[in-house]
Amino acid sequence: MREILFRGKKVHSDKWLYGVPVKGTEKDVNEMIMIASVFDQEGYCCRGCNLDPVIPETIGQFTGLTDKNGKKIFEGDILEITERGVTARGGVVRFEYGYAGGWVVCDPQKETSHCTLSLRKDVEVIGNIHDNPELIEVKA
């Protein structure tokens, strides 16, 4: 079974938090919090959990795949792909719905161009869209 895991950037910090995002608390219904372990949660009461607020736009799901160095690949990661001796940088991981839906790598230069991530052998995570947007800037 695939590991279900999310990450999100902590509010007012550069720290990434991992766990399960939950929306809506008594204080602020627009707040997103990250729960480190759902097994410690009982309804809305989470014993021994850190309920840290995260920036909703930064939340991305783990794809279930790792790069060539064993690093987990998340939605929003930027990849470097080597194929037949040619290296391409800047592909962004995202989920696409539809007939052949799944995790894909999108070329920021061509919105419609993508490949299925699970078919890639030689990929490396070089950043993500929130910390390293300069890696995907479209060149005019």
Side-chain angles (χ1 to χ4, degrees):
M1 180 159 56
R2 182 171 69 84
E3 179 181 9
I4 305 299
L5 181 66
F6 293 83
R7 74 172 179 199
K9 202 165 193 178
K10 187 174 179 174
V11 173
H12 308 299
S13 173
D14 285 336
K15 184 177 179 183
W16 285 93
L17 303 175
Y18 298 84
V20 177
V22 178
K23 185 172 179 149
T25 64
E26 291 176 13
K27 294 185 296 185
D28 182 0
V29 294
N30 295 317
E31 181 181 54
M32 291 292 285
I33 56 174
M34 191 68 73
I35 298 175
S37 173
V38 294
F39 301 110
D40 293 335
Q41 185 180 7
E42 241 179 58
Y44 289 107
C45 177
C46 190
R47 293 172 284 136
C49 289
N50 287 335
L51 302 177
D52 290 312
V54 293
I55 303 166
E57 297 78 25
T58 65
I59 295 173
Q61 187 174 5
F62 173 47
T63 64
L65 304 169
T66 57
D67 72 359
K68 65 182 182 181
N69 301 315
K71 184 174 182 175
K72 291 181 177 180
I73 301 173
F74 284 84
E75 182 178 15
D77 277 342
I78 301 170
L79 305 179
E80 178 178 276
I81 301 170
T82 303
E83 187 174 38
R84 297 184 189 113
V86 177
T87 300
R89 296 174 60 104
V92 178
V93 177
R94 74 177 187 201
F95 188 84
E96 287 206 354
Y97 298 93
Y99 176 73
W103 295 105
V104 297
V105 181
C106 299
D107 182 345
Q109 305 269 347
K110 305 173 193 164
E111 185 60 34
T112 59
S113 173
H114 65 270
C115 61
T116 303
L117 181 58
S118 61
L119 300 177
R120 301 318 231 169
K121 303 279 190 244
D122 227 354
V123 301
E124 183 175 9
V125 175
I126 58 171
N128 65 69
I129 60 174
H130 308 288
D131 292 335
N132 315 100
E134 71 278 1
L135 294 175
I136 58 168
E137 282 185 12
V138 178
K139 293 161 184 68

